[in-house]
Structure formats: C-alpha cells, structure tokens
Amino acid sequence: MDLGIKGKRAIVCASSKGLGRGVAEKLAEAGVDLTLNARTEETLRETASEIAGKYGVRVQIVAEDVTTEAGRQALLMAEPQPDILINNAGGPPAGFWSDWGEEEWLKAINNNMLTPILLMNAILPGMIERKWGRVVNITSGSVKSPIAQLGLSNAARSGLTGFVAGTARQVAKHGVIINNLLPGSHDTDRTKGFIERTATAKGISIAEARAEAHAENPTGRYGTAEEFGAAAAFLCSQYSGFIVGQNLLLDGGAFNSTLG
C-alpha cells in the first residue's frame, strides 16, 4: 500500500532501537527521509546505516539528549522543516507515590510532557504554512489504564495527552494531523529486562517467565516493533487526514473495555 509520503522528511526521536526504530523502519519503507535522534551515537549510527542501506532513503543522525534545550536546538538545526515528527522518550522510573519529590516530578514532566510539547510548538508553524504535517506522540497504555507504580509516567503523559486533545483540533484545518500511539507490552529491550528480573525473583527460567507474561495478553504474545511501526506510519500517511487527536491503543486487547 502506497502511503503517499515518499519524499517527505521526518524527525524520529529515540529511534536507535525499540519502538522508535520500528517507526523509523516503516517510514523509510514508505520512502521518507529521516533524521534519527538518540543519545548513544554508536548505536544510532549503526541504525542509520542499516536503514539507509536497506531502503535507499536519506538518513542523518543527531546524537543529543532531546530532553534538553541544547539537544532540541541541535535536532531542529539538522532538520528545521520536518513534514513528520515522531515524539518518543523513555518513561520515568517505577516506584511508590512517597518515593518522588520535586526533582523527580520536574524531570518526568520535562521528559515526557514538556519536551514533546516544545518540539511541536517549534515545528507546527512550518507545517501550517506548508498546509501539511503529521505528528505522532508515542506515549503509553498507562494513559488509558493507569499502572500504580508508574505514577510519574501516568501523570506526565496524561498532561501531554490533554495538550494534544486541544491542539490537534486547532491545527487540523491546516492539514496538520496530531495523534498519540499508546503501546502496551512489546518485545523490546525493556520487556526483556522485565522478564529476566521476573525469572530471577520467582526462581524460574527465562522461557517460563516469558510464557507467563505472554499468557496475560489476549493474543498470547507481546507486540512487535514492526507492527507498531506500521501503525505509526499509517498515522503519518496521506490517509490519516480525518483521524484527529486520537489515542490509539496497541496492547493486544489487554485493556478490557467495550468502548476504547
């Protein structure tokens, strides 16, 4: 299926591996030129080389911490006029409500709410002027179904969701479309680490811990970065112009509800 975005230019944050890389791969497959961002230059460079070699698109890298003002400036200097922005950042640490003081709250809000908002604020005027743009924010299934030990993430990402709800409806008339993708459990390094810790805590094998985790999902498995990337690429396509300010949950049906 031709997504109609060949030759467009995209910024993809946190894209050296995991879900961010999955999105970058699918955008490249659709013919989109990429600016990839992550903090670890070696891994980012390897990813860029592999994607450019496989899909024949232009790929540049910005190895900076996008949660800092300097990092955002470097990213926007490298790609000042993106047609597509994929906001993505790792979540804050788990814990109990009493574990978190002002410092932890400010960091979570900066990383998972303020940073994507500031990037949107920077690129939306250009998209509006060109009468076309796509923004996809990778948030979390915990926005839909809160996870008690992820209070920092629940709160910060919910703030971003609220911003998008209003802003998406203000810019849609200009051909600029903003939506959120809410991942559940996917087969990434983070879930592999969770499985290893579970296996150690329970005194079982990694294979047994993985089987237990998979059994908790209606699909009997974790999601893949490839299928997540495909969903994101569709939201960036020419066909998404009437999908505005939505929160698409990709969790294999783990969130149990008649209405999503």
Side-chain angles (χ1 to χ4, degrees), residues 23-116:
V23 176
E25 292 257 6
K26 286 300 181 181
L27 289 176
E29 187 178 286
V32 176
D33 293 325
L34 303 174
T35 298
L36 304 183
N37 162 252
R39 287 176 293 182
T40 305
E41 183 171 357
E42 182 179 358
T43 307
L44 189 61
R45 195 172 296 281
E46 290 175 2
T47 296
S49 177
E50 290 171 6
I51 291 177
K54 184 175 182 179
Y55 299 105
V57 296
R58 180 181 65 87
V59 183
Q60 62 177 341
I61 67 169
V62 178
E64 296 281 351
D65 182 355
V66 76
T67 67
T68 68
E69 183 179 357
R72 289 189 293 274
Q73 288 179 349
L75 183 58
L76 294 169
M77 284 183 64
E79 179 49 89
Q81 293 186 317
D83 302 295
I84 295 166
L85 169 64
I86 308 295
N87 274 317
N88 184 29
F96 198 65
W97 63 267
S98 57
D99 296 334
W100 307 314
E102 182 177 1
E103 181 178 351
E104 290 78 16
W105 277 111
L106 289 176
K107 183 176 181 180
I109 291 169
N110 177 71
N111 293 1
N112 297 117
M113 185 181 83
L114 192 56
T115 288

Side-chain angles (χ1 to χ4, degrees), residues 103-139:
E103 181 178 351
E104 290 78 16
W105 277 111
L106 289 176
K107 183 176 181 180
I109 291 169
N110 177 71
N111 293 1
N112 297 117
M113 185 181 83
L114 192 56
T115 288
I117 288 174
L118 292 174
L119 284 173
M120 281 187 275
N121 285 351
I123 58 89
L124 285 176
M127 290 181 172
I128 291 170
E129 183 178 351
R130 296 188 297 274
K131 300 295 183 183
W132 200 96
R134 299 291 187 266
V135 178
V136 174
N137 301 294
I138 300 175
T139 63

